[in-house]
């Protein structure tokens, strides 16, 4: 193996309670495009954060050698100085500054602290030509599209004399044309001797440009494939190859009639109202059924759920929501709750809990009417309710007076669930109900879900963890880019099938379909 | 964590008692601070502070701050701020003066009109804050300038007064002694006041006992009986002492009755009513509250209407006290009101704060004003000391929170 510029050896990174990376090895040759693939949570982003110094030397085990030298980065600044530049999934550009100002942010073209604007503009112009972006360096970032912003990020990296460029899901929010332009740029850089690490879910584009692919799974390196060995099937089986053991409680589904139905659901993006975020989604859930929505992050699952739940996300919403075959009005959260719909958020700290208040007040927050009469809260009834749910969902705390901000993630999730259980919904939408919680708490959450289904509730569950969907659901919808790209009974589903639907469903809708969506909205 | 749970399983009663004390430590601490400050000034002023006439004055001087602090508490708990209350109260005082002095309108009708005007002012500011999402700091900063200017314009730059005597009763009046005075030794006591005091204490004991019974009947351990009695006895003693002082002067001032009723009402709203709970939920996490079906926009709007009405009432009381409406009325009140709420333990970020805390916070400020004035401390140093006390109280709070 000659010409290796980057060597990461036996990288192990532990977070409290979780081993995010375990003995991961990665090497990158000079002038190659090296793809890193894996499921959500496989450890790709963590590995890149170790490499770029976001997690400083000493917070992980293992060694990094770059250009033959041992590296001990204490921050992003150190890694950038040696020529390793990372471009994150969420772009780090300041929207109200110009392109030139952004390119040289933190790296200003200055003499003794005074910025030389002419030099900055000229150099920005050169860099923009290199990345093939025809924009005035004085244009504000907010006035250019996401694809162009991505190019500005790359220009910014070039300004730092990059030798190894790391791109974290660079094409996730780009159209196909912009993606192609970006990928050909990487190929161009390869010829100039700049190596890239490309993190992507889109296996077709990885196959197109990558020289080698490293597959991560559960925080370990599974294998590194040479160009000749790259095939979609091989990558997929490598990515998901793990068995379903008894991590899931047994289920005895008793599925009845269709209870909840969403038809022709179209939602536009709240910030860019001309962008269709959810396209003609049709979903139904039966009595006692647990229905999963699979998909990658950013596929529109949360946006779909929140738009159904009282239009909490999006604008220009059209479509029909029915309960027991009758259309219902879910135009506000209050109305949705009144009709028996609940949505337990994926982000419990931001959207789920009042972290400075205790369990008791959080449990009753969505159904204060249930513990009050004529607007006056019955303290004892509230205390009984809170204690009851604390027992039911097995919240581990000193009492119901413990502040929710001090609970562990799993127990916080149980408080969120309790809150919605007390609202007594017929349809429960659970968004990533087990994100960031340990295996034991996950099992408890699954048990609660099973119990609810047995009680005849209809459950719609969004999850990025495919084994979880396979283990808990009766039926699975697959979503990508705001559309349902497949539906299959859990019994027939496999991770490979789902993954294939996601990666194949990447193609943009053809002209005709696009037209239909437009007229429908 | 596991040792903690083990301990609580072994001795649940002690655990709850400790938790209860810990939970209420701040409120007890605040009461103790107020008592300490009062004793300090009692000593420094050579016994003037606790003289019946001075205690009565203390109430009269601070009533309008306390009334506004009640509304401000809801505003701050809801995650906002209102800088306009001083100007609004001044403006409403001016409106009252114009209506009663120039248009000879009936005082009762004037009072009602003024409170409606206050509500409308609150609504006009609340609309921008709640529905247009303009930061409350900016909207009410604008309101502060606007209503200061309007008051000046309305009064034509002059003081307008005096008011009809019925209106002055709002601030200068005392409740009539329907029973008749009672003389013990060389002091004459206002017996109606005494009776009201005894009734208040009896009601307090009854309510405390009732909620204790309710806890026990649901199978929860209440705090230990000794602690329960001691706590209530101390509060009762303090109330009775104040009542005795008032009774040995002219009895209960009318303002104190208005203030007392409002305080009880706001304690009830914040502790027991769904709307109060929703304000805390909104201040704690507005996104989570909205996703729980709470109409956060309407709630914010209502909170500002309430603030406007209380500011109007405070403006009326202040005008009645001075017996004239001046363009300078209300100047800087917002600072005292906001300081009272923060000294009382509210959090700038919203979601935290108690009515009782705000009231005690206002009294701490009031006693310091009063005590330092009697001592002859210059106004410049008074400001410095009050500022440091505000900073100290909040630092103490933050320090405690970080430790816990």
């Amino acid at each position: 193996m000659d010409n290796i510029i980057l060597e990461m050896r036996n990288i192990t990174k532990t977070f409290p309670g979780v081993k995010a990376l375990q003995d991961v090895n990665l090497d990158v040759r000079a002038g190659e495009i090296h793809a890193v693939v894996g499921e959500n949570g496989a450890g790709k982003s963590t590995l890149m954060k170790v490499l770029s110094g976001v997690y400083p030397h000493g917070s992980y085990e293992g060694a990094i050698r770059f250009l033959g030298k041992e590296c001990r980065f204490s921050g992003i600044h150190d890694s950038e100085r040696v020529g390793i530049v990372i471009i994150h999934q969420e772009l780090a550009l300041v929207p109200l500054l110009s392109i030139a100002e952004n390119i040289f942010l933190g790296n200003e073209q200055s003499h003794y602290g005074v910025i030389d604007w002419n030099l900055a503009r000229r150099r920005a112009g050169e860099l923009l030509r290199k990345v093939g972006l025809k924009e005035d360096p004085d244009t504000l970032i907010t006035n250019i599209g996401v694809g162009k912003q991505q190019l500005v990020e790359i220009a910014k990296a070039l300004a730092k004399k990059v030798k190894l460029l790391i791109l974290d899901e660079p094409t996730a929010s780009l159209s196909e044309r912009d993606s192609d332009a970006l990928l050909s740029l990487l190929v161009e850089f390869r010829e100039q001797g700049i190596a890239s690490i490309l993190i992507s879910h889109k296996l077709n584009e990885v196959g197109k440009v990558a020289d080698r692919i490293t597959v991560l799974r559960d925080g370990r390196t599974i294998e590194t494939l040479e160009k000749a060995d790259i095939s979609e099937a091989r990558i997929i089986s490598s990515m998901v190859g793990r068995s379903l053991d008894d991590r899931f409680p047994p289920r005895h589904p008793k599925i009845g009639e269709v209870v909840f139905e969403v038809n022709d659901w179209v939602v536009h993006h709240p910030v860019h109202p001309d962008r269709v975020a959810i396209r003609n989604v049709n979903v139904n859930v039966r009595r006692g059924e647990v229905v999963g929505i699979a998909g990658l992050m950013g596929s529109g699952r949360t946006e779909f759920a929140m738009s159904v739940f009282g239009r909490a996300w999006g604008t220009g919403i059209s479509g029909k929501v029915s309960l027991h075959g009758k259309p219902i009005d879910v135009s506000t959260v209050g109305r949705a709750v009144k009709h028996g719909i609940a949505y337990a958020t994926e982000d419990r700290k931001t959207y789920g809990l009042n972290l400075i208040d205790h369990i008791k007040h959080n449990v009753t927050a969505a159904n204060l009417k249930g513990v009050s009469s004529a607007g006056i809260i019955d303290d004892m009834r509230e205390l009984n309710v809170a204690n009851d749910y604390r027992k039911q969902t097995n919240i581990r705390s000193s009492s119901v007076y413990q502040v929710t901000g001090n609970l562990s993630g799993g127990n916080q999730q149980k408080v969120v669930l309790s809150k919605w259980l007390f609202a007594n919904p017929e349809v429960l939408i659970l968004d990533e109900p087990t994100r960031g919680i340990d295996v034991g708490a996950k099992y408890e959450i699954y048990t609660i879900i099973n119990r609810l289904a047995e009680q005849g509730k209809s459950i719609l569950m969004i999850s990025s963890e495919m084994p979880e969907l396979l283990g808990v659901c009766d039926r699975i919808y697959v979503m990508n880019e705001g559309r349902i790209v497949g539906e299959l009974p859990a019994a027939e589903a496999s991770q490979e099938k789902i993954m294939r639907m996601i990666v194949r469903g990447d193609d943009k809708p053809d002209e005709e379909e696009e037209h239909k969506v437009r007229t429908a909205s | 964590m596991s040792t903690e749970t083990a301990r609580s399983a072994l001795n649940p009663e002690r655990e709850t008692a400790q938790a209860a004390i810990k939970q209420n430590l701040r409120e007890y601490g605040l009461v103790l601070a107020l008592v300490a400050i009062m004793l300090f000034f009692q000593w420094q002023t050579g016994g003037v502070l606790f003289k019946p006439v001075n205690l009565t004055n203390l109430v009269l001087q601070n009533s309008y701050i306390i009334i506004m602090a009640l509304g401000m508490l809801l505003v701050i708990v809801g995650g906002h701020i209102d800088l306009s209350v001083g100007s609004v109260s001044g403006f409403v005082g001016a409106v009252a003066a114009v209506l009663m002095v120039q248009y000879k309108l009936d005082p009762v009708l004037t009072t009602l009109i003024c409170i409606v005007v206050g509500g409308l002012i609150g609504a006009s500011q609340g609309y921008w804050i709640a529905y247009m999402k303009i930061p409350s700091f900016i909207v009410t900063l604008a309101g502060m300038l606007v209503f200061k200017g309007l008051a000046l314009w309305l009064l034509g730059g002059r003081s307008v007064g005096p008011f009809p005597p019925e209106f002055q009763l709002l601030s200068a009046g005392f409740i009539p002694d329907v029973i008749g005075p009672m003389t013990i030794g060389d002091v004459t006591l206002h017996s109606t006041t005494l009776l009201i005091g005894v009734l208040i204490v009896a009601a307090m004991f009854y309510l405390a006992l009732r909620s204790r019974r309710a806890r026990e009947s649901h199978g929860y351990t209440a705090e230990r009986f000794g602690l329960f009695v001691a706590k209530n006895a101390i509060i009762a003693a303090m109330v009775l002492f104040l009542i005795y002082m008032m009774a040995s002067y002219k009895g209960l001032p009318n303002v104190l009755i208005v203030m007392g009723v409002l305080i009880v009402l706001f304690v009830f709203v914040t502790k027991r009513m769904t709307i109060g709970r929703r304000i805390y939920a909104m201040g704690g996490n507005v996104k989570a509250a909205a996703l729980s079906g709470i109409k956060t926009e309407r709630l914010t709007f209502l909170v500002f209407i309430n603030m406007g009405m209380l500011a109007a009432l405070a403006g009326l009381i202040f005008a009645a006290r001075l017996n004239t409406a001046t363009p300078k009325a209300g100047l800087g009140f917002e600072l005292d009101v906001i300081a009272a709420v923060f000294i009382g333990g509210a959090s700038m970020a919203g979601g935290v704060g108690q009515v009782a805390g705000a009231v005690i916070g206002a009294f701490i400020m009031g006693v310091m004003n009063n005590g330092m004035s009697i001592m002859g401390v210059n106004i410049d140093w008074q400001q410095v000391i009050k500022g440091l006390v505000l900073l100290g109280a909040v630092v103490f709070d933050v320090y405690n929170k970080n430790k816990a």
Side-chain angles (χ1 to χ4, degrees):
Chain A
M1 292 283 136
D2 45 341
N3 279 339
I4 287 177
I5 57 167
L6 172 76
E7 232 185 314
M8 297 179 83
R9 284 284 159 262
N10 299 326
I11 304 290
T12 299
K13 168 81 189 165
T14 317
F15 292 110
V18 209
K19 257 203 172 133
L21 296 175
Q22 205 170 344
D23 291 323
V24 171
N25 293 305
L26 177 72
D27 48 51
V28 179
R29 297 176 193 152
E32 77 163 342
I33 299 176
H34 194 120
V36 176
V37 299
E39 281 188 288
N40 294 331
K44 298 166 302 202
S45 295
T46 312
L47 185 65
M48 292 308 124
K49 282 180 181 166
V50 167
L51 175 55
S52 58
V54 173
Y55 299 134
H57 180 81
S59 70
Y60 58 89
E61 290 154 40
I64 303 174
R65 290 178 72 81
F66 185 62
L67 297 172
K69 264 181 258 162
E70 169 100 33
C71 297
R72 295 178 175 192
F73 303 135
S74 60
I76 260 196
H77 233 82
D78 289 349
S79 63
E80 286 186 348
R81 199 154 21 185
V82 299
I84 300 177
V85 179
I86 183 163
I87 297 176
H88 290 282
Q89 198 172 349
E90 294 92 27
L91 299 179
L93 297 172
V94 184
L96 291 177
L97 292 185
S98 73
I99 293 178
E101 282 170 313
N102 267 287
I103 287 179
F104 296 114
L105 199 63
N107 179 23
E108 286 83 3
Q109 303 299 300
S110 60
H111 306 288
Y112 306 109
V114 179
I115 297 178
D116 183 343
W117 283 113
N118 290 326
L119 178 66
R121 264 189 222 106
R122 204 183 64 232
R123 288 213 50 209
E126 287 164 14
L127 292 166
L128 290 182
R129 264 195 301 285
K130 264 192 200 163
V131 298
L133 180 59
K134 292 186 195 75
E135 285 285 346
D136 184 345
D138 287 332
T139 311
L140 298 187
I141 290 296
T142 175
N143 295 334
I144 61 175
V146 194
K148 288 180 175 175
Q149 290 181 11
Q150 192 74 254
L151 294 177
V152 172
E153 278 276 17
I154 294 174
K156 189 175 162 187
L158 291 179
K160 291 170 184 162
K161 305 204 166 50
V162 63
K163 296 193 184 89
L164 174 65
L165 187 63
I166 306 167
L167 295 135
D168 190 356
E169 301 254 9
T171 61
S173 46
L174 298 191
S175 71
E176 196 154 11
R177 213 177 54 212
D178 285 348
S179 303
D180 284 346
L182 184 76
L183 294 173
S184 53
L185 196 61
L186 290 188
V187 174
E188 226 171 88
F189 286 167
R190 175 170 62 190
E191 273 141 34
Q192 294 166 19
I194 300 174
S196 322
I197 295 179
L198 174 66
I199 296 175
S200 179
H201 281 301
K202 298 185 180 171
L203 298 187
N204 51 354
E205 63 182 41
V206 167
K208 254 188 268 174
V209 298
D211 298 308
R212 287 193 302 159
I213 296 181
T214 294
V215 182
L216 294 187
R217 187 208 311 150
D218 294 337
R220 294 164 197 267
T221 325
I222 301 304
E223 57 180 344
T224 297
L225 300 166
E226 295 287 335
K227 180 102 185 165
D229 303 329
I230 294 175
S231 79
E232 203 171 277
R234 176 79 184 268
I235 301 171
I236 290 177
S237 71
S238 217
M239 271 168 75
V240 298
R242 91 192 101 168
S243 62
L244 291 184
D245 36 31
D246 48 7
R247 276 184 294 158
F248 304 100
R251 294 215 50 211
H252 314 285
K254 277 180 285 192
I255 296 171
E257 75 288 353
V258 171
V259 170
F260 180 65
E261 227 175 330
V262 181
N263 292 109
D264 305 320
W265 200 251
V266 177
V267 181
H268 292 77
H269 195 277
V271 184
H272 310 287
D274 51 335
R275 220 162 87 196
V276 184
I278 304 295
R279 297 163 193 271
N280 277 21
V281 167
N282 291 289
V283 166
N284 65 62
V285 190
R286 293 163 182 276
R287 192 181 155 77
E289 189 182 32
V290 181
V291 175
I293 303 184
L296 300 168
M297 281 177 209
S299 57
R301 297 166 305 171
T302 296
E303 290 77 4
F304 166 67
M306 285 180 78
S307 65
V308 170
F309 188 62
R311 307 210 167 145
W313 191 90
T315 53
I317 298 173
S318 65
K320 199 175 76 180
V321 178
S322 357
L323 200 66
H324 298 295
K326 282 187 210 111
I328 54 168
D329 175 11
V330 290
S331 55
T332 67
V333 172
R335 282 177 199 153
V337 174
K338 206 175 285 168
H339 282 114
I341 297 168
Y343 167 74
T345 166
E346 61 168 341
D347 185 350
R348 51 189 169 257
K349 291 192 183 198
T350 314
Y351 294 109
L353 294 172
N354 181 357
L355 292 169
I356 57 174
D357 211 342
H358 50 59
I359 296 170
K360 186 178 88 168
H361 287 174
N362 272 288
V363 167
T364 56
N367 186 16
L368 273 177
K369 284 208 175 82
V371 290
S372 62
S373 45
I376 296 166
I377 297 169
D378 182 337
D379 211 30
M380 280 303 120
R381 203 159 13 133
E382 186 179 25
L383 186 58
N384 285 336
V385 165
N387 272 316
D388 185 25
Y389 280 95
R390 176 171 170 246
K391 210 184 293 165
Q392 262 189 49
T393 58
N394 200 13
I395 298 168
R396 274 179 286 273
S397 62
S398 54
S399 77
V400 290
Y401 291 107
Q402 191 165 341
V403 171
T404 54
N406 299 337
L407 296 173
S408 70
N411 284 313
Q412 285 182 346
Q413 186 63 39
K414 292 177 199 165
V415 177
V416 174
L417 277 180
S418 297
K419 171 167 100 174
W420 288 113
L421 295 184
F422 180 55
N424 196 23
E426 261 190 278
V427 182
L428 204 58
I429 307 174
L430 305 176
D431 195 350
E432 303 278 6
T434 66
R435 168 177 292 172
I437 67 183
D438 62 75
V439 182
K442 278 184 182 176
Y443 192 90
E444 287 175 326
I445 302 272
Y446 301 144
T447 311
I448 295 169
I449 292 173
N450 279 352
R451 196 173 65 218
L452 292 172
E454 271 158 36
Q455 288 165 6
K457 311 259 188 225
S458 307
I459 292 163
L460 193 59
M461 173 166 148
I462 296 170
S463 176
S464 296
E465 291 184 35
M466 275 186 260
E468 172 175 290
L469 289 175
L470 296 173
V472 177
C473 298
D474 302 305
R475 192 152 55 90
I476 297 172
Y477 288 104
V478 182
M479 197 162 185
N480 197 28
E481 314 235 317
R483 290 175 302 150
I484 298 287
V485 293
E487 176 190 350
L488 55 170
E492 294 170 19
S494 67
Q495 297 189 56
E496 284 83 358
K497 276 189 186 168
I498 294 172
M499 192 52 99
R500 208 166 294 140
M501 282 179 171
I502 292 173
V503 292
R504 294 235 173 106
D506 265 351
D507 334 276
K508 296 285 161 191
D510 51 73
E511 293 295 320
E512 198 185 359
E513 209 174 329
E514 184 93 15
H515 180 71
K516 252 194 305 194
V517 170
R518 286 270 155 77
T519 45
S521 59
Chain B
M1 177 67 215
S2 62
T3 52
E4 209 178 83
T5 13
R7 206 193 315 141
S8 73
L10 279 174
N11 198 342
E13 257 177 74
R14 211 181 73 196
E15 195 78 3
T16 41
Q18 276 176 351
I21 289 176
K22 220 175 172 181
Q23 209 181 341
N24 295 323
L25 186 66
R26 195 177 194 289
E27 273 162 65
Y28 294 146
L30 211 55
V31 175
L32 288 180
L34 177 60
V35 170
I37 290 171
M38 287 182 92
L39 291 176
F40 172 78
F41 283 114
Q42 171 74 357
W43 167 56
Q44 281 293 316
T45 58
V48 176
L49 192 87
F50 278 115
K51 282 209 169 124
V53 56
N54 192 52
L55 278 180
T56 304
N57 262 334
L58 202 58
V59 170
L60 295 179
Q61 276 167 9
N62 291 293
S63 54
Y64 42 91
I65 299 293
I66 289 170
I67 285 170
M68 286 196 278
L70 298 173
M72 189 65 77
L73 178 90
L74 295 190
V75 169
I76 288 174
V77 164
H80 296 280
I81 193 87
D82 191 339
L83 302 174
S84 72
V85 292
S87 297
V88 171
S89 66
F91 172 72
V92 170
V95 171
V98 169
L99 289 179
M100 280 186 295
V101 177
Q102 288 176 5
Y103 293 90
K104 310 282 178 226
L105 219 62
D106 173 60
V108 176
L109 185 61
T110 304
T111 302
L112 289 178
I113 290 174
C114 283
I115 287 176
V116 170
V117 167
L120 289 175
I121 291 172
S124 70
Q125 301 195 89
Y127 172 78
W128 298 108
I129 297 161
Y131 297 102
M132 296 295 137
K133 314 281 182 216
I134 314 288
S136 54
F137 190 96
I138 292 166
V139 172
T140 59
L141 185 62
M144 179 178 165
L145 297 171
V146 167
F147 294 107
K148 203 188 286 175
L150 286 179
L152 204 59
W153 163 76
L154 204 57
L155 295 172
R158 288 168 289 118
S159 294
V160 176
F163 295 123
E166 305 97 288
F167 184 71
Q168 290 173 39
L169 284 179
L170 181 59
S171 255
F174 294 84
I175 60 163
D177 196 353
V178 286
I179 304 172
M182 183 169 72
T183 312
I184 303 171
D186 53 354
V187 276
T188 309
L189 293 172
H190 192 279
S191 39
T192 309
T193 298
L194 282 182
L195 181 67
I196 290 175
V198 171
L199 288 177
I200 289 172
V201 169
M204 264 171 43
F205 267 107
Y206 170 72
L207 289 173
L209 264 175
R210 202 179 67 161
S211 85
R212 189 183 163 81
R213 288 243 180 77
R215 276 188 80 84
E216 282 171 341
S217 73
H218 280 80
Y220 296 107
T221 47
E223 61 192 330
R224 258 175 297 171
F225 195 68
L227 187 71
F228 170 80
V229 170
K231 192 176 88 179
N232 284 287
I234 291 173
I235 297 171
M238 279 161 59
V239 171
L240 286 176
F241 172 74
L242 268 177
I243 288 287
Y244 175 79
M245 284 300 182
M246 298 278 169
S248 63
Y249 183 54
K250 290 184 185 167
L252 289 176
N254 291 336
V255 182
L256 185 59
I257 302 280
V258 173
M259 202 170 91
V261 169
L262 284 175
I263 292 172
V264 170
L265 178 72
F266 276 78
V267 167
F268 187 75
V269 167
T270 52
K271 292 241 185 225
R272 294 290 306 280
M273 293 192 67
T274 52
I275 186 164
R277 176 69 60 76
R278 287 183 177 135
I279 294 171
Y280 282 87
M282 177 171 79
N285 185 345
V286 65
K287 289 172 185 163
L291 276 179
S292 299
I294 294 171
K295 293 181 183 117
T296 52
E297 289 160 1
R298 201 182 63 174
L299 200 56
T300 304
F301 186 59
L302 291 176
V303 163
F304 275 93
I305 290 179
N306 175 64
M307 182 73 254
M309 285 164 59
L310 290 176
L313 179 60
L316 292 171
I317 291 172
F318 185 71
R321 186 173 151 71
L322 290 188
N323 198 17
T324 172
T326 78
K328 279 199 162 175
L331 203 67
F333 282 7
E334 62 278 347
L335 302 179
D336 278 348
V337 172
I338 293 168
V341 173
F342 285 134
I343 289 177
S347 153
M348 187 80 208
V352 177
Q354 298 293 334
V355 170
V359 171
I360 295 170
F363 268 117
I364 287 180
M365 293 292 272
V367 169
M368 289 199 317
N369 278 336
N370 181 278
M372 287 192 290
S373 298
I374 299 171
M375 277 170 66
V377 177
N378 271 336
I379 189 81
D380 40 11
W381 286 107
Q382 287 194 21
Q383 300 273 3
V384 172
I385 292 168
K386 271 158 59 184
L388 291 178
V389 167
L390 169 63
L391 181 65
V394 177
V395 167
F396 176 77
D397 243 17
V398 171
Y399 173 76
N400 266 347
K401 213 175 280 166
N402 291 344
K403 215 172 55 174

